[in-house]
Structures are given as structure tokens and as C-alpha cells.
Amino acid sequence: MRPAAFITGITGMAVVAGLLMAGEARLGGGTAGGEMGSAEETATAPAGAAPEAGEGATISDDRAEMIARSTEPAAPPSPAPGDGVISKPADLPQQAETAAGQTASPSAKKATELARPAVENAGILSFGERRLQLTGIVPTPVDRICGPTGRQWPCGMMAKTALRLLLRNRSVTCDLDTAEWKETITTACRLGTEDLSAWLAENGWAEAAAGSPLTSAAEKARQARKGLYGDDPRRN
């Protein structure tokens, strides 16, 4: 073979190989460019945009998460310190302190209305099974007898009758810790503005207790011969 022909053949083969490689590179660059363009369009497309005709129905996990986050409602901001929000645990010590203060304070007597008292004697009222003694006086026993021999009279029964006629089944107001009690209690009671203990002492139907502020009123009734200190009122 001639040297010139051999060189020509080699040169032709090199040209053909170059052309093939150039075409392959051009084809490969076009495909990559298409893929890059598609990725850029996907990234810049609106989050909630619907796929165009011919576009695949499937989306990537990242894109699905991005769409889901864009449709979630915004979470309310957490309160910052000093916004005036008081937590419930912080209130507990104050409540406990208030409860302790209420327990420690002594219970004061309250004016309590009691309906239809029964008169046991001139000084003791009963409300069902509950008994109440009027303060400041010595209750007059029902069986007490007054007056000199030959002129004696049942002053204890008359004293009870006098108090019963004053009350006439009307409600009284008494100073009590509670409206329910078991044992006999001693306290002040009133019919309207009339203090029952004072009324009995002033009219001589009960004696004043030792050290009672009603001692003076009872002494005036004795000197005036009222009630227990007088004659049988049935003979007047």
C-alpha cells in the first residue's frame, strides 16, 4: 500500500469519529438542558397550581410537604413574658391563703329569724326539739307560787301566759351562730325591736341574772310591785 493512500484513510476515519462524537455531545447537551429547564419551571411554579395537560400526576415528597405547609393555618403566637397572663398554678397559693384566713376568723353571731316559738316558761322558748334560754334573766318556773299565805297565786304560770300573749305565735329574731343546734343555748331574742329579756325584767315576770345589765330594770319592777312582786292579777 502507498503511504499517501494510508494517510488519507486514517485522516478520513478520524474525521468520521469526530463527527460522531460531536453529534453525541450535542444530543446529550440538549437532553440535560431540557431536564434543567423542567426543574426550574417546577421550582418557580405556584405551590397550589394544577398540573398542565400532559404533565405527570405524581409529585415529589418535598413538593407535597411544601403544598401541605402552605395550606395549614398559622399557629397563634405564644404569649411573651409580662403580657398579663396568669397561670392557674400561680393562683393556688392565694386561694389557699384566703381559705386559711376564713377558717381562722371567728364565726360571728347573726340575727336569725325563728318562726312560731313555743313558750316553755317566762325565759325559755322552744322550736321543735331545740330549746333557747333568753339571756340576762333567770327563767321563771311554771310551778312557782307567789303571794302571802291565803293569797297565793300561780305566778309562774301567769308569767308564761304573759310572754305567750306577747308573742302570739309571731316569729322572733335571735342572735345565733347557726339556725341548727342540739343543746339548750342562751342568747338574746327580739320581737320586732322589743328585747324579750328586757320586757320580762321590766314587767316583773323574771328576775335578773347575777351581773346582768337588767338588774336595775328588775329592781324597778319589784319596787313597783309588778308581775311576780304584785298581787294576783286575776283579782284586779
Side-chain angles (χ1 to χ4, degrees):
M1 177 178 295
R2 295 180 182 179
F6 177 76
I7 293 173
T8 301
I10 292 299
T11 301
M13 292 176 62
V15 172
V16 172
L19 292 174
L20 291 175
M21 292 177 64
E24 183 177 358
R26 181 174 298 179
L27 291 175
T31 303
E35 290 177 355
M36 291 178 62
S38 176
E40 291 176 357
E41 292 175 359
T42 301
T44 56
E52 297 179 357
E55 185 178 352
T58 61
I59 59 177
S60 64
D61 293 341
D62 294 340
R63 180 170 173 78
E65 182 178 356
M66 181 180 65
I67 295 174
R69 288 183 180 276
S70 66
T71 57
E72 288 178 357
S78 58
D83 285 347
V85 179
I86 303 176
S87 61
K88 290 184 178 179
D91 293 338
L92 294 179
Q94 183 177 0
Q95 294 175 358
E97 182 180 354
T98 302
Q102 291 178 352
T103 304
S105 62
S107 57
K109 289 186 177 182
K110 297 181 296 184
T112 305
E113 183 176 342
L114 301 174
R116 295 189 299 275
V119 178
E120 292 194 7
N121 58 37
I124 295 180
L125 307 178
S126 62
F127 306 85
E129 297 180 354
R130 297 168 296 169
R131 300 173 75 245
L132 184 151
Q133 179 176 326
L134 298 175
T135 186
I137 60 172
V138 178
T140 304
V142 177
D143 57 359
R144 179 170 174 173
I145 302 298
C146 299
T149 303
R151 299 186 61 182
Q152 294 178 337
W153 57 285
C155 58
M157 181 60 70
M158 292 298 295
K160 171 184 176 180
T161 301
L163 180 57
R164 183 172 56 82
L165 292 176
L166 173 68
L167 297 178
R168 289 181 295 173
N169 272 339
R170 289 179 290 180
S171 298
V172 296
T173 303
C174 302
D175 299 331
L176 301 172
D177 293 327
T178 174
E180 299 294 333
W181 69 90
K182 295 181 180 179
E183 299 179 356
T184 302
I185 60 174
T186 300
T187 190
C189 292
R190 297 167 295 280
L191 177 67
T193 59
E194 184 77 62
D195 184 89
L196 299 183
S197 298
W199 185 87
L200 289 171
E202 291 169 357
N203 289 277
W205 293 121
E207 297 176 353
S212 170
L214 299 176
T215 301
S216 176
E219 178 61 22
K220 290 181 179 179
R222 188 186 68 80
Q223 294 178 0
R225 297 181 58 83
K226 290 183 179 180
L228 306 175
Y229 312 105
D231 296 328
D232 187 350
R234 295 174 299 178
R235 297 178 181 177
N236 295 338

